[in-house]
Structure formats: C-alpha cells, structure tokens
Amino acid sequence: FTEPLFSWQIAHPLNALALLAFIVTALVITRLVSRVREEATSATLQKDRLDRLYQLSQHLLALDPDEARGKKFLEPFHRLFGVTAISLFDADTTELYTVGDSQCDLADKTRAAYIRGDELNDSGSPVFVRCLRVRGKVTGAIGFEGLEDARETSGSLVALTTTFVERTNAFHKASVAAVAAQTAVYRSALLDALAHEFKTPLATILAAAGGLREAGPLVSEQQEMADTVENEAARLGSLTSRLLR
C-alpha cells in the first residue's frame, strides 16, 4: 500500500454545510438542465410533427375530390411521415387501399379492425390501426406500419383522414344527387317530347275519323271502317299514355 498523495479534511462545521449546499445545488441544477433539454427536444419534435401535419393538410386540400380516393389519397401520408406501409378501409365504398410494402399483413389487420370495431395497438408490433368514427358510427379504419411516435401522431392523422374521407364521400353523394336531378329533368323533357309526338298524330286520326262520319251518309262498310279507325286510335292513345307513365 502506498500513502495517499492528498488528504481531505473539513476544518469547520460550516465548511461541511457549504459542501452539502454545493452538492444539493449542483444536483438540482443538473436535473433542471436535463428537464430543459427534454422539453426542448419535445418541443422540436412537436414542431416537426405540426409542420408535417400542416403539409399533409395542404396536400389533401389540393386533391381533386374526384380523385381523392385510393392510393393517391394515401401517398402524402406515406411520403411525409416515412411509414413502411399505410392501409385505408373505406366502409362507404367497401374498398381497401394500401401504399408501401407491408411485412405484417397490414391490409388484413386494417380490415379486421373495422369488422370488429376495435383498434389494434400492440406495443410489440410496428402495426398501429385506428377506426374512423363519425357521430359514433364506424365508417372505416386506417392502419400504419412503422409510424414513429404512433401514440402522439396517430390521433391527428386519424382526425385528418376522417375529415377528408367524409368530405370526399359528401362530394360524391352531392355529385350523384346532381346527376340524378339532371337525369330527371332530361327524362321529363324526353317524355314530354314523346307524348307530343305520339299524341298529336293520334288526335289527328281521331279528328279525321269523326270528320268522315260527319261528312255525309256512309254505307255500312264505310261506317264500320270509320268506327274501327276511331276505336283502334283511341286504344293506341290509351296504350301510349300507360307507356309514358
């Protein structure tokens, strides 16, 4: 054993108190600095997440509602958030869309989550599936594979997805309603034209048959032929009315 090179002695109790205060202060400052660093890192991550969500909203708003379905709708999610794969099941169209290369059967798990009406959130798996709900009704499901900070990010992504899927479906329903209304207008115009084209000649035939009867005395054969023309024209007019209805 060698003798120690230095010695450490506390000559006065106040020195021990000062040393203890220094150690406590150093520990408190270290803890505060660590917390400030954690908060700064969290704030940076939150800002980055908000920036990507804002860019995603811009991309989705720029999509044409006629084309805002399927893979074109999912591509901004895949590009901005760097997920391995993303799947969307739309209950309104019963279509399942997937972008990316899934290694964990993401599409099947997304469909199964919609059927069960339950979310898949396994901490040991990279797959994270959430149901889309509108007024308490499950309208679809969206699944992510390889999404970073899934617990913090998925809520905002699900809200955006639900909003834009409902917007797209509402646009399509409005378009279908507009087409149906326009079709009804065209059908009404067509039927009016057909009614005019059929009824006018029939009315002329009936008037001519009546004029023949009133023109002068007719022999029995002529009277029978005029009655036949009038009766058959009337029957054809009735059939035309039923057909147009």
Side-chain angles (χ1 to χ4, degrees):
F1 298 97
T2 59
E3 293 294 331
L5 297 178
F6 303 100
S7 62
W8 186 58
Q9 297 179 352
I10 298 178
H12 195 276
L14 289 178
N15 293 338
L17 182 61
L19 177 62
L20 180 61
F22 175 80
I23 293 174
V24 171
T25 302
L27 292 175
V28 170
I29 291 175
T30 301
R31 177 58 182 164
L32 291 176
V33 169
S34 299
R35 183 175 298 178
V36 168
R37 287 176 178 173
E38 292 174 359
E39 294 292 336
T41 302
S42 177
T44 301
L45 293 176
Q46 183 70 13
K47 180 180 181 300
D48 178 66
R49 189 181 303 119
L50 289 176
D51 288 341
R52 286 185 290 175
L53 288 172
Y54 178 71
Q55 294 177 35
L56 176 62
S57 301
Q58 286 184 317
H59 282 289
L60 295 180
L61 283 172
L63 288 177
D64 187 349
D66 284 331
E67 302 176 354
R69 286 182 182 271
K71 294 185 178 182
K72 184 168 290 189
F73 177 79
L74 295 178
E75 284 172 356
F77 290 84
H78 185 259
R79 183 175 64 257
L80 291 172
F81 288 87
V83 294
T84 305
I86 179 172
S87 290
L88 173 66
F89 181 79
D90 188 355
D92 190 67
T93 61
T94 65
E95 293 288 343
L96 179 64
Y97 310 100
T98 301
V99 172
D101 298 324
S102 174
Q103 305 297 324
C104 303
D105 298 326
L106 179 63
D108 294 336
K109 292 180 179 179
T110 302
R111 183 190 287 107
Y114 165 75
I115 295 173
R116 295 193 311 268
D118 192 15
E119 299 173 350
L120 178 61
N121 183 15
D122 186 1
S123 58
S125 172
V127 174
F128 193 91
V129 182
R130 297 283 295 271
C131 292
L132 308 180
R133 288 182 170 85
V134 177
R135 296 181 292 275
K137 179 182 177 182
V138 180
T139 59
I142 186 169
F144 307 94
E145 183 176 329
L147 177 64
E148 297 181 0
D149 299 327
R151 294 181 181 277
E152 291 77 13
T153 309
S154 62
S156 301
L157 294 179
V158 170
L160 279 175
T161 303
T162 303
T163 300
F164 282 96
V165 167
E166 284 300 303
R167 168 179 174 265
T168 302
N169 291 339
F171 177 84
H172 282 278
K173 290 177 182 178
S175 299
V176 170
V179 170
Q182 191 65 34
T183 301
V185 171
Y186 289 148
R187 182 172 60 247
S188 177
L190 178 61
L191 291 177
D192 289 342
L194 288 175
H196 179 268
E197 293 298 325
F198 279 103
K199 293 288 189 176
T200 300
L202 292 175
T204 303
I205 293 172
L206 288 172
L212 287 174
R213 187 182 292 108
E214 298 296 331
L218 301 176
V219 297
S220 60
E221 291 82 0
Q222 294 173 336
Q223 182 68 38
E224 184 179 352
M225 292 175 63
D227 291 340
T228 300
V229 171
E230 190 171 6
N231 292 335
E232 293 302 318
R235 189 167 70 89
L236 186 56
S238 176
L239 289 174
T240 302
S241 297
R242 290 172 58 188
L243 175 62
L244 292 175
R245 283 198 299 270

